[in-house]
Amino acid sequence: MVFVNSRAVAPVVDRPSALEGVELDFDHDIELVLAFLNTCDAEKGTEILDDPGQWQQWCIDQGLGKAPGVDAAREIRDAMRTAVSCSVRPQAGFETAWPVQVRLHNGVPTLTGGDAIGSVLVAAARLVHTGRWDRIKICPADDCLWAFYDRSRNRSRTWCSMRVCGNREKARSWRERHTS
């Protein structure tokens, strides 16, 4: 049996990483997805997608460009909120498609959105493919329902804020147990 040193057969070539020129900002992706999921606010009783002007302004504020119709945005947002909600099962058979583009940036394929919803979906897809999507959750408090990112080590965070929603729920639970 003959062993061949792989360096002798194939010398190591120093080449730059393929991702050097590609910007991958997962914190930006997380913030964008959360901002989209939180376009409805149960606590304040506001819904950005009720007004096309507010939806357009939201897209401009996020730097996303063209704002597609509010009905499509609401359908996609609600499906995404359902998918990350702990208390609701996603609708069986729900499927939708949205056009995104694959561009070559310095020879590296990257996904880009053609409009605001496409950009949000591209950010969400990156979170799915990097294992970060499961950390996006919806606060179970009925008067909150805020989307948040679980940064806990064991992914066990339940409330958007332990000081507000978690405290309220624990106090409510304690009162129920100790009320005669």
Side-chain angles (χ1 to χ4, degrees):
M1 183 176 280
V2 176
F3 293 97
V4 177
N5 182 343
S6 63
R7 291 183 189 260
V9 175
V12 176
V13 177
D14 186 31
R15 66 179 206 178
S17 167
L19 296 177
E20 266 184 21
V22 178
E23 286 186 39
L24 295 176
D25 185 357
F26 296 114
D27 286 334
H28 178 264
D29 290 344
I30 291 165
E31 294 306 316
L32 177 59
V33 169
L34 289 177
F36 181 65
L37 294 176
N38 289 325
T39 53
C40 59
D41 188 338
E43 189 174 33
K44 293 178 183 175
T46 59
E47 169 64 85
I48 289 176
L49 298 178
D50 279 347
D51 179 13
Q54 283 185 332
W55 167 235
Q56 178 68 38
Q57 187 60 49
W58 184 89
C59 293
I60 291 168
D61 292 346
Q62 299 295 322
L64 300 178
K66 183 180 175 219
V70 292
D71 294 333
R74 183 179 290 110
E75 179 183 26
I76 288 172
R77 187 215 43 214
D78 292 348
M80 289 172 67
R81 285 183 64 88
T82 301
V84 298
S85 177
C86 297
S87 61
V88 181
R89 281 269 176 236
Q91 182 181 357
F94 176 81
E95 189 174 317
T96 189
W98 200 264
V100 295
Q101 301 168 345
V102 178
R103 292 193 176 159
L104 287 177
H105 182 73
N106 296 332
V108 178
T110 59
L111 284 176
T112 59
D115 57 15
I117 293 176
S119 297
V120 169
L121 290 174
V122 164
R126 280 194 291 257
L127 297 178
V128 168
H129 289 289
T130 58
R132 291 172 171 89
W133 176 257
D134 292 340
R135 289 183 176 265
I136 294 181
K137 300 178 179 180
I138 302 290
C139 180
D142 290 334
D143 56 346
C144 180
L145 302 174
W146 196 251
F148 65 93
Y149 187 75
D150 180 359
R151 294 185 187 275
S152 67
R153 184 179 297 191
N154 63 357
R155 301 174 186 227
S156 64
R157 186 172 157 195
T158 303
W159 310 101
C160 65
S161 167
M162 196 58 212
R163 280 185 252 145
V164 180
C165 292
N167 189 34
R168 270 192 236 148
E169 184 57 33
K170 287 184 176 196
R172 186 178 304 127
S173 176
W174 186 87
R175 280 193 308 273
E176 288 173 4
R177 284 193 313 270
H178 291 87
T179 303
S180 52

